Amino acid sequence: MERSGLPKHLVVTGYVLDPTGRRVLLLFHRKLQRWLPPGGHVEASEDPLRALVREVWEETGLLVRPLSDPEGGSEPGVLPLPRPHHVQVETIDGRHEHVDLVYVCEIVGGEVRGNAESEEVRWVAEEDLRSLPLGENVRHHVRQLLQGARPPAHSAGRSMRGPARRSTSRSVG
């Protein structure tokens, strides 16, 4: 794909695995009329990890964390972030592009619920992929994740940064 001189927006996407690793949570986007993983824009005041946790929370009611751990050393002024599963650039309406940091996430709290941007939120298994209106990119990544996904193996005592702490005080019943 040839790159354009269009303005770029930083966005995050979270493919959320169920605890068995056999299903991925997708949303039926009201405007686009297709199934997508949750995600959205990184706001000017937040880092991508905070945006990921916020967007998934707002769109699904689930508190998540990426399956990858931050890499790199610690020093003043440097925030090591978890490595994305992949990064892609998406042209949006021919007017701008999204530089999308795409993560695979595990659930650490909350209850699945919908939102105003989506008509439905649902767990999708590999056998559902043929019958759903999905873009080929989403279909490919869901299939790839479900064929190779294993239940998460994070330690229970690992702490969360950013909005995850704020979100845990919300009612998620």
Side-chain angles (χ1 to χ4, degrees), residues 29-52:
H29 196 279
R30 191 175 305 280
K31 180 179 170 186
L32 299 176
Q33 290 294 292
R34 64 170 45 181
W35 291 94
L36 297 169
H41 286 82
V42 177
E43 302 298 333
S45 63
E46 62 188 356
D47 63 61
L49 180 57
R50 286 179 185 262
L52 175 69

mmCIF file of all heavy atoms in Angstrom, residues 29-52:
data_model
loop_
_atom_site.group_PDB
_atom_site.id
_atom_site.type_symbol
_atom_site.label_atom_id
_atom_site.label_comp_id
_atom_site.label_asym_id
_atom_site.label_seq_id
_atom_site.Cartn_x
_atom_site.Cartn_y
_atom_site.Cartn_z
ATOM 1 N N HIS A 29 -20.290 -2.578 14.841
ATOM 2 C CA HIS A 29 -20.213 -1.126 14.789
ATOM 3 C C HIS A 29 -21.429 -0.556 14.048
ATOM 4 O O HIS A 29 -21.688 -0.912 12.906
ATOM 5 C CB HIS A 29 -18.914 -0.706 14.092
ATOM 6 C CG HIS A 29 -18.551 0.712 14.301
ATOM 7 N ND1 HIS A 29 -19.111 1.732 13.571
ATOM 8 C CD2 HIS A 29 -17.680 1.288 15.168
ATOM 9 C CE1 HIS A 29 -18.594 2.883 13.967
ATOM 10 N NE2 HIS A 29 -17.724 2.640 14.938
ATOM 11 N N ARG A 30 -22.147 0.302 14.731
ATOM 12 C CA ARG A 30 -23.395 0.867 14.201
ATOM 13 C C ARG A 30 -23.169 1.620 12.886
ATOM 14 O O ARG A 30 -23.895 1.426 11.912
ATOM 15 C CB ARG A 30 -23.997 1.807 15.249
ATOM 16 C CG ARG A 30 -25.400 2.275 14.976
ATOM 17 C CD ARG A 30 -25.966 3.106 16.121
ATOM 18 N NE ARG A 30 -25.931 2.462 17.425
ATOM 19 C CZ ARG A 30 -26.803 1.549 17.858
ATOM 20 N NH1 ARG A 30 -27.772 1.162 17.067
ATOM 21 N NH2 ARG A 30 -26.704 1.024 19.060
ATOM 22 N N LYS A 31 -22.165 2.458 12.823
ATOM 23 C CA LYS A 31 -21.911 3.286 11.637
ATOM 24 C C LYS A 31 -21.312 2.466 10.487
ATOM 25 O O LYS A 31 -21.728 2.606 9.335
ATOM 26 C CB LYS A 31 -20.983 4.442 12.010
ATOM 27 C CG LYS A 31 -20.644 5.373 10.882
ATOM 28 C CD LYS A 31 -19.742 6.496 11.373
ATOM 29 C CE LYS A 31 -19.185 7.303 10.227
ATOM 30 N NZ LYS A 31 -18.217 8.299 10.683
ATOM 31 N N LEU A 32 -20.358 1.611 10.785
ATOM 32 C CA LEU A 32 -19.651 0.867 9.738
ATOM 33 C C LEU A 32 -20.362 -0.422 9.323
ATOM 34 O O LEU A 32 -20.020 -1.019 8.305
ATOM 35 C CB LEU A 32 -18.224 0.543 10.190
ATOM 36 C CG LEU A 32 -17.355 1.762 10.492
ATOM 37 C CD1 LEU A 32 -16.004 1.324 11.032
ATOM 38 C CD2 LEU A 32 -17.189 2.632 9.251
ATOM 39 N N GLN A 33 -21.320 -0.877 10.147
ATOM 40 C CA GLN A 33 -22.091 -2.087 9.867
ATOM 41 C C GLN A 33 -21.204 -3.302 9.627
ATOM 42 O O GLN A 33 -21.372 -4.052 8.669
ATOM 43 C CB GLN A 33 -23.038 -1.864 8.675
ATOM 44 C CG GLN A 33 -24.178 -0.923 8.996
ATOM 45 C CD GLN A 33 -25.127 -1.492 10.033
ATOM 46 O OE1 GLN A 33 -25.820 -2.460 9.760
ATOM 47 N NE2 GLN A 33 -25.149 -0.916 11.230
ATOM 48 N N ARG A 34 -20.244 -3.485 10.529
ATOM 49 C CA ARG A 34 -19.385 -4.663 10.499
ATOM 50 C C ARG A 34 -18.842 -4.925 11.896
ATOM 51 O O ARG A 34 -18.857 -4.051 12.745
ATOM 52 C CB ARG A 34 -18.264 -4.541 9.484
ATOM 53 C CG ARG A 34 -17.278 -3.439 9.771
ATOM 54 C CD ARG A 34 -16.040 -3.457 8.914
ATOM 55 N NE ARG A 34 -16.334 -3.671 7.516
ATOM 56 C CZ ARG A 34 -15.431 -3.753 6.568
ATOM 57 N NH1 ARG A 34 -14.159 -3.633 6.873
ATOM 58 N NH2 ARG A 34 -15.756 -3.945 5.322
ATOM 59 N N TRP A 35 -18.383 -6.141 12.090
ATOM 60 C CA TRP A 35 -17.823 -6.558 13.382
ATOM 61 C C TRP A 35 -16.378 -6.113 13.469
ATOM 62 O O TRP A 35 -15.593 -6.322 12.547
ATOM 63 C CB TRP A 35 -17.918 -8.077 13.524
ATOM 64 C CG TRP A 35 -19.324 -8.540 13.671
ATOM 65 C CD1 TRP A 35 -20.165 -8.957 12.687
ATOM 66 C CD2 TRP A 35 -20.062 -8.621 14.893
ATOM 67 N NE1 TRP A 35 -21.391 -9.284 13.210
ATOM 68 C CE2 TRP A 35 -21.357 -9.094 14.564
ATOM 69 C CE3 TRP A 35 -19.773 -8.342 16.221
ATOM 70 C CZ2 TRP A 35 -22.339 -9.298 15.523
ATOM 71 C CZ3 TRP A 35 -20.757 -8.534 17.168
ATOM 72 C CH2 TRP A 35 -22.025 -9.014 16.825
ATOM 73 N N LEU A 36 -16.036 -5.513 14.612
ATOM 74 C CA LEU A 36 -14.687 -5.006 14.864
ATOM 75 C C LEU A 36 -14.304 -5.276 16.314
ATOM 76 O O LEU A 36 -15.167 -5.366 17.185
ATOM 77 C CB LEU A 36 -14.637 -3.489 14.655
ATOM 78 C CG LEU A 36 -14.936 -2.949 13.263
ATOM 79 C CD1 LEU A 36 -15.092 -1.436 13.322
ATOM 80 C CD2 LEU A 36 -13.836 -3.342 12.307
ATOM 81 N N PRO A 37 -13.009 -5.331 16.601
ATOM 82 C CA PRO A 37 -12.582 -5.356 18.003
ATOM 83 C C PRO A 37 -12.721 -3.952 18.594
ATOM 84 O O PRO A 37 -12.749 -2.961 17.854
ATOM 85 C CB PRO A 37 -11.115 -5.782 17.912
ATOM 86 C CG PRO A 37 -10.685 -5.378 16.551
ATOM 87 C CD PRO A 37 -11.894 -5.444 15.666
ATOM 88 N N PRO A 38 -12.812 -3.836 19.912
ATOM 89 C CA PRO A 38 -12.898 -2.512 20.529
ATOM 90 C C PRO A 38 -11.602 -1.724 20.351
ATOM 91 O O PRO A 38 -10.519 -2.302 20.228
ATOM 92 C CB PRO A 38 -13.157 -2.815 22.002
ATOM 93 C CG PRO A 38 -12.731 -4.224 22.199
ATOM 94 C CD PRO A 38 -12.858 -4.914 20.884
ATOM 95 N N GLY A 39 -11.738 -0.402 20.353
ATOM 96 C CA GLY A 39 -10.555 0.452 20.238
ATOM 97 C C GLY A 39 -10.955 1.870 19.915
ATOM 98 O O GLY A 39 -12.133 2.186 19.758
ATOM 99 N N GLY A 40 -9.951 2.736 19.798
ATOM 100 C CA GLY A 40 -10.223 4.132 19.472
ATOM 101 C C GLY A 40 -8.992 5.002 19.604
ATOM 102 O O GLY A 40 -7.872 4.505 19.769
ATOM 103 N N HIS A 41 -9.224 6.291 19.544
ATOM 104 C CA HIS A 41 -8.148 7.284 19.544
ATOM 105 C C HIS A 41 -7.428 7.389 20.889
ATOM 106 O O HIS A 41 -8.055 7.318 21.943
ATOM 107 C CB HIS A 41 -8.693 8.661 19.181
ATOM 108 C CG HIS A 41 -9.015 8.800 17.735
ATOM 109 N ND1 HIS A 41 -10.196 8.347 17.184
ATOM 110 C CD2 HIS A 41 -8.296 9.329 16.722
ATOM 111 C CE1 HIS A 41 -10.198 8.602 15.892
ATOM 112 N NE2 HIS A 41 -9.059 9.200 15.579
ATOM 113 N N VAL A 42 -6.125 7.603 20.811
ATOM 114 C CA VAL A 42 -5.317 7.942 21.978
ATOM 115 C C VAL A 42 -5.466 9.445 22.165
ATOM 116 O O VAL A 42 -5.151 10.230 21.268
ATOM 117 C CB VAL A 42 -3.833 7.566 21.767
ATOM 118 C CG1 VAL A 42 -2.995 7.998 22.966
ATOM 119 C CG2 VAL A 42 -3.685 6.069 21.496
ATOM 120 N N GLU A 43 -5.982 9.850 23.316
ATOM 121 C CA GLU A 43 -6.171 11.273 23.597
ATOM 122 C C GLU A 43 -4.821 11.930 23.885
ATOM 123 O O GLU A 43 -3.870 11.262 24.286
ATOM 124 C CB GLU A 43 -7.119 11.455 24.789
ATOM 125 C CG GLU A 43 -8.493 10.821 24.596
ATOM 126 C CD GLU A 43 -9.286 11.406 23.445
ATOM 127 O OE1 GLU A 43 -9.066 12.586 23.094
ATOM 128 O OE2 GLU A 43 -10.129 10.676 22.881
ATOM 129 N N ALA A 44 -4.767 13.240 23.705
ATOM 130 C CA ALA A 44 -3.512 13.979 23.870
ATOM 131 C C ALA A 44 -2.904 13.820 25.260
ATOM 132 O O ALA A 44 -1.689 13.859 25.418
ATOM 133 C CB ALA A 44 -3.734 15.459 23.565
ATOM 134 N N SER A 45 -3.730 13.588 26.270
ATOM 135 C CA SER A 45 -3.238 13.513 27.650
ATOM 136 C C SER A 45 -2.942 12.087 28.116
ATOM 137 O O SER A 45 -2.664 11.889 29.295
ATOM 138 C CB SER A 45 -4.264 14.142 28.592
ATOM 139 O OG SER A 45 -5.469 13.388 28.536
ATOM 140 N N GLU A 46 -2.997 11.094 27.234
ATOM 141 C CA GLU A 46 -2.793 9.718 27.684
ATOM 142 C C GLU A 46 -1.794 8.979 26.810
ATOM 143 O O GLU A 46 -1.560 9.340 25.660
ATOM 144 C CB GLU A 46 -4.124 8.951 27.744
ATOM 145 C CG GLU A 46 -4.824 8.796 26.434
ATOM 146 C CD GLU A 46 -6.229 8.208 26.554
ATOM 147 O OE1 GLU A 46 -6.688 7.823 27.649
ATOM 148 O OE2 GLU A 46 -6.884 8.149 25.507
ATOM 149 N N ASP A 47 -1.210 7.942 27.390
ATOM 150 C CA ASP A 47 -0.324 7.081 26.622
ATOM 151 C C ASP A 47 -1.162 5.950 26.009
ATOM 152 O O ASP A 47 -2.332 5.777 26.367
ATOM 153 C CB ASP A 47 0.815 6.544 27.502
ATOM 154 C CG ASP A 47 0.339 5.675 28.643
ATOM 155 O OD1 ASP A 47 -0.283 4.630 28.365
ATOM 156 O OD2 ASP A 47 0.590 6.017 29.809
ATOM 157 N N PRO A 48 -0.600 5.189 25.067
ATOM 158 C CA PRO A 48 -1.393 4.142 24.414
ATOM 159 C C PRO A 48 -1.964 3.079 25.358
ATOM 160 O O PRO A 48 -3.068 2.588 25.126
ATOM 161 C CB PRO A 48 -0.406 3.525 23.418
ATOM 162 C CG PRO A 48 0.527 4.640 23.097
ATOM 163 C CD PRO A 48 0.694 5.385 24.397
ATOM 164 N N LEU A 49 -1.256 2.725 26.425
ATOM 165 C CA LEU A 49 -1.779 1.728 27.353
ATOM 166 C C LEU A 49 -3.031 2.251 28.066
ATOM 167 O O LEU A 49 -4.031 1.546 28.183
ATOM 168 C CB LEU A 49 -0.715 1.317 28.370
ATOM 169 C CG LEU A 49 -1.146 0.279 29.405
ATOM 170 C CD1 LEU A 49 -1.656 -0.999 28.729
ATOM 171 C CD2 LEU A 49 0.007 -0.026 30.346
ATOM 172 N N ARG A 50 -2.979 3.496 28.525
ATOM 173 C CA ARG A 50 -4.170 4.096 29.157
ATOM 174 C C ARG A 50 -5.334 4.147 28.171
ATOM 175 O O ARG A 50 -6.475 3.877 28.524
ATOM 176 C CB ARG A 50 -3.867 5.511 29.653
ATOM 177 C CG ARG A 50 -3.024 5.549 30.893
ATOM 178 C CD ARG A 50 -2.757 7.007 31.279
ATOM 179 N NE ARG A 50 -1.860 7.084 32.403
ATOM 180 C CZ ARG A 50 -2.256 7.246 33.656
ATOM 181 N NH1 ARG A 50 -3.525 7.345 33.950
ATOM 182 N NH2 ARG A 50 -1.371 7.310 34.630
ATOM 183 N N ALA A 51 -5.049 4.512 26.922
ATOM 184 C CA ALA A 51 -6.102 4.591 25.908
ATOM 185 C C ALA A 51 -6.702 3.212 25.646
ATOM 186 O O ALA A 51 -7.925 3.081 25.519
ATOM 187 C CB ALA A 51 -5.544 5.179 24.611
ATOM 188 N N LEU A 52 -5.867 2.194 25.574
ATOM 189 C CA LEU A 52 -6.354 0.834 25.343
ATOM 190 C C LEU A 52 -7.313 0.408 26.452
ATOM 191 O O LEU A 52 -8.433 -0.044 26.187
ATOM 192 C CB LEU A 52 -5.177 -0.139 25.272
ATOM 193 C CG LEU A 52 -5.536 -1.613 25.149
ATOM 194 C CD1 LEU A 52 -6.155 -1.914 23.794
ATOM 195 C CD2 LEU A 52 -4.289 -2.463 25.381
#
